[in-house]
Amino acid sequence: MYAGGNVAAEETKPRHLELPDYIRILSKRKWFILIMAAVAMMIGALWAVSTERTYEATALVHVQQRPEGLFWVTGDTSNMLPNIAMETYARIAHSGDVASRAAERLQALPEEDRIVATAPEILDSVEVSVLQPDLIRITAENTDRRKAKAFANQVAEAFVQVNQEDRQRQSTKAVAFLEDQVQKAEDDIQAVIDEMTAMSMREGYVDVQNEVEAIVEQLRQYQAQRLAAETAVRVAQARVDHLEQVAAEEAPFEVQGRPTPNPEYQALRQSLTEARVQLESLQSKYTDGHARVLDARALVEELQSELERTPELIESEVVVENPAGANVEALLAEARLKLKEAQAQLAANDAALAGLRDQARGLPEDLQQWQALVDRLTRLREASMQLQEELRQARLAETIKEGNARVVDRAQTAREIKASPLRAMVFSLGLGLFMGLGLAILLEALDDTIYSVEDLQRVTDLYLLGIIPLRTDEADGLVTLEAPKSPPAEAYRTLRSNIRFSLFDKPATTFMITSAGTGEGKSVTASNLAVVYAQSGERVILVDADLRRPVLHRAFGVDNEPGVTNLLVGDMKLEDALQESGVPGLRLLTSGPLPPNPAELLESERMTALIEELAEAADIVIFDTPPAVMLTDAGILSSKLDRTIIVAESGQVTERAIHDMERLFRHARADVLGIVLNKLRVTGGDYY
């Protein structure tokens, strides 16, 4: 059956790129990134060289803003008009009206300085921006140096002219508005005076102002005193309530804790010492993997963990007198005394205030109306004076026709802003490197090919039995015979050892070597694995079960007939079909004549009997089969053999192929021992 501990998840595990991944991507796709950077640099240089010369000139306009408010009396004639947002001023400066006036001003210049330009041409050349808080920058770009300078200066002058005319119109409206407000204020003042005169004649008052003011002032004072006394009572009452609650919560005695040794901690410490002594005794008798040693080590770790969680000291309780109780009682008595004093002060203020209110009710209500009229008259006169001052300023502004904008910095010359070829190349190089790296990472994310051990472990849970490095000489061959001291030969011997370790508790005799596709090195792996097993003293039979495209007979230089198919049809016995490979202990069973129905032959009962016969004739039987994903032969044989080993070529096999093989062998109930990563491109130091 399929090995339960090796079942891979159907879904690909999330891939997180780390620093080694980025280094690998840079190494793998360095030429792609460099080509992208070179192309971008060439494009930037060509653009910089072919771009037409452009000139830029800048003029600055200051727009004076007034503080916020309806009226603001100052000596500045621009301050009586409402504010306009600086963005609005910038939009006006870039309007068709300003551009038309700038075009007219250019045509009105002396003949040697005259420039003929249209309003749309000026608008296309000019950009207007706001420099906080109150500056407008007018920038003109043009291929003609004279036009760039003239456009910036004339647009600034035209904007100042438009601003002045707008302010003039606003000043005229402001004068009319202020005159109307002044007249209304004078009418209101006269109405209040007439009302006061009529009231004085009707009631016969001479001078009661001093009496009214005295009573009102006393009422204000006592009301303020009552408010302060009422606040003091609330504060004192809150203080008393808080101290009473504290006094109720405070106990005359309190319990204090003292640290004492924990008997449980001492017992655990003694048990841990005994367990460690027992572990050292077992280690002197047995290996670290022995069951008793493992049990003893687990007991030591459990006791150590329990000892770390147990406190060495525990708290014991002692009853002592609480000193805070007496202090709270003293503070409570003091707070109650202050509460009584505040209540007495409040009662006295209430009594005095009641007397003044009775006296105030005795005064005629007309006196209060008189005071209201006096206050209203005062406010109206102050407002009238302010309006008259604003009116005077507005008339002055209307007379001198002053605006709030002026040119503070005219363009003296136009500078060339053509892109520098060197800067363009540097920028393009950086952009190209960035784009190349981004595209390389994107291609890497879209590429599901397995290149490294990390890639393999990310997509499958199959045991990694071994890594076979890529040969630097011939691509294929029996490296274990041709170069027995080379890193690939050593890798095959390591693979043999790992297989033995994996079979420590579940021995097996028959093994199937397969791969997802063709050319991944399964036949080479099967041949070299058979050689190293034979070199270790095992009796090995290497079977070429690829009844479609057999290759093992060429690797060992023998005839392909007789072979497997001869045995399946009953032409001869096993001993007659086995051929010597030239390696002591290794015999070869080739495929034999190629049949028209390979899958049916492999699935037959005769094939099952042949496998049992081979298992009795040798210690290790290795079957080389066709690719598992492309053909059904490997799936059929995997259910008949003890273990299945998958060979995956680095840079060739994909995640999809790995998952397809896992699904195929799971359905066939095969016991997959693990996977071998073949033809891995590593340096000598990396492999070591």
Side-chain angles (χ1 to χ4, degrees), residues 547-548 564-565 568-569 595-608 632-634 636-637 640:
L547 305 184
R548 303 174 189 268
V564 173
T565 54
L568 292 179
V569 297
N597 54 346
E600 287 77 2
L601 289 177
L602 295 176
E603 196 172 9
S604 65
E605 293 297 330
R606 178 58 185 151
M607 185 64 190
T608 304
T632 61
D633 300 10
I636 294 172
L637 277 179
K640 298 176 180 291

Side-chain angles (χ1 to χ4, degrees), residues 213-404:
E213 291 179 353
I215 294 175
V216 170
E217 182 63 25
Q218 290 179 2
L219 281 172
R220 290 177 180 173
Q221 293 177 358
Y222 277 103
Q223 286 176 349
Q225 293 176 4
R226 185 188 183 286
L227 180 60
E230 185 178 7
T231 302
V233 169
R234 292 178 180 175
V235 172
Q237 185 63 52
R239 176 67 173 169
V240 169
D241 294 342
H242 173 69
L243 290 175
E244 288 178 349
Q245 181 179 0
V246 173
E249 295 176 354
E250 288 289 342
F253 299 95
E254 63 180 1
V255 178
Q256 296 182 350
R258 294 182 178 176
T260 59
N262 188 357
E264 183 179 358
Y265 181 87
Q266 300 298 328
L268 287 173
R269 187 173 180 180
Q270 179 64 26
S271 299
L272 177 60
T273 303
E274 295 174 357
R276 286 175 175 171
V277 172
Q278 181 66 20
L279 175 60
E280 293 176 356
S281 176
L282 291 174
Q283 286 177 337
S284 65
K285 298 178 180 180
Y286 305 101
T287 63
D288 290 342
H290 195 273
R292 296 187 62 184
V293 174
L294 294 177
D295 292 340
R297 185 180 290 108
L299 178 60
V300 169
E301 292 175 353
E302 182 180 1
L303 289 174
Q304 180 65 34
S305 176
E306 184 67 24
L307 183 64
E308 292 175 355
R309 293 195 299 270
T310 303
E312 185 177 359
L313 300 177
I314 58 175
E315 295 289 333
S316 62
E317 297 181 348
V318 178
V319 179
V320 298
E321 184 178 357
N322 184 9
N327 187 27
V328 171
E329 291 295 335
L331 294 175
L332 180 60
E334 181 182 355
R336 287 172 176 168
L337 179 61
K338 290 185 178 180
L339 175 61
K340 291 181 180 180
E341 293 177 355
Q343 290 174 342
Q345 181 65 34
L346 179 62
N349 287 338
D350 287 341
L353 189 59
L356 283 174
R357 287 174 176 170
D358 292 339
Q359 184 179 0
R361 282 195 294 270
L363 293 176
E365 295 181 359
D366 293 343
L367 297 181
Q368 299 179 10
Q369 297 179 6
W370 177 271
Q371 182 63 37
L373 290 173
V374 171
D375 293 341
R376 182 181 175 190
L377 180 61
T378 301
R379 290 195 299 271
L380 287 174
R381 284 175 174 170
E382 291 176 355
S384 177
M385 293 177 61
Q386 187 175 10
L387 285 170
Q388 289 177 3
E389 178 63 22
E390 294 289 347
L391 177 60
R392 185 183 69 81
Q393 296 286 355
R395 285 173 175 168
L396 179 60
E398 182 182 18
T399 301
I400 63 178
K401 299 181 180 180
E402 184 183 65
N404 67 328

